[in-house]
Amino acid sequence: MAYDLSKGAPAPQSEAQVFKGYVATVTLHADRAEIKRKLMGKVTGARDAVIPFADVIKVQSKEPTRLVNGYVQLATEEDRGQLRIATAEAQKAIANNSRTVLFTWNQRETYAAYLAAVTAGVQTQGGNPFG
C-alpha cells in the first residue's frame, strides 16, 4: 500500500506488536517495551515495567527447552552487576526481574519472534543488543 505524503496525509504509524509469555504479556512499540504481568507473575517480586529501548544495554536470552523455561531479559544499567555473575542465584535473579519475560516449551515460536523483534527495536534506537 503506497502513501501519498504530498497531500498532507499523515505518515503511517507502526503497529504495536503483542507477545504472550508465561504469566506476562509484552507490547512492543517503536521506542519501548511494556510488560504487563498476571497476578501469578507478580508473586516472585517482578512488576509491570516500561523499558525504553534506549536504556537497554544488552538483550539476554535463553531458549526454552522441554525441561526448563526460557527467557528474554532487557538488561539496563540496574542489571549490570547480574551480567557478570553466572551462577544459579543469578539465574533466579533474572527470572524474578521485572524486565524479564519467561517462555515455556510450547511458546518457543513466540520466544523466537519476540527475541527478533526486541533485538531489532534496540538496534533501531541506536543500541547494541549484544552488549
Side-chain angles (χ1 to χ4, degrees):
M1 175 183 216
Y3 291 93
D4 186 0
L5 298 176
S6 65
K7 295 186 178 167
Q13 293 290 329
S14 60
E15 296 278 329
Q17 295 176 287
V18 177
F19 301 92
K20 291 188 186 275
Y22 179 67
V23 300
T25 300
V26 184
T27 304
L28 288 185
H29 299 275
D31 63 340
R32 69 192 181 285
E34 296 177 356
I35 301 173
K36 301 283 185 196
R37 299 193 182 280
K38 295 179 181 177
L39 179 61
M40 285 303 295
K42 294 180 181 180
V43 170
T44 62
R47 300 285 176 240
D48 293 346
V50 176
I51 306 110
F53 289 145
D55 292 353
V56 176
I57 59 172
K58 185 174 185 179
V59 177
Q60 290 196 133
S61 64
K62 180 178 180 181
E63 193 169 349
T65 68
R66 291 183 191 271
L67 299 176
V68 295
N69 290 339
Y71 64 85
V72 175
Q73 179 188 31
L74 303 179
T76 63
E77 283 294 327
E78 296 175 44
D79 304 306
R80 192 168 290 282
Q82 293 175 1
L83 296 177
R84 294 188 195 119
I85 304 169
T87 65
E89 281 299 312
Q91 292 296 317
K92 184 177 177 184
I94 288 171
N96 296 339
N97 189 304
S98 296
R99 292 169 296 283
T100 300
V101 178
L102 300 176
F103 296 90
T104 65
W105 169 253
N106 292 330
Q107 296 171 319
R108 62 192 179 278
E109 290 179 12
T110 305
Y111 158 85
Y114 173 59
L115 180 60
V118 78
T119 300
V122 170
Q123 287 176 325
T124 300
Q125 293 295 313
N128 179 5
F130 308 109

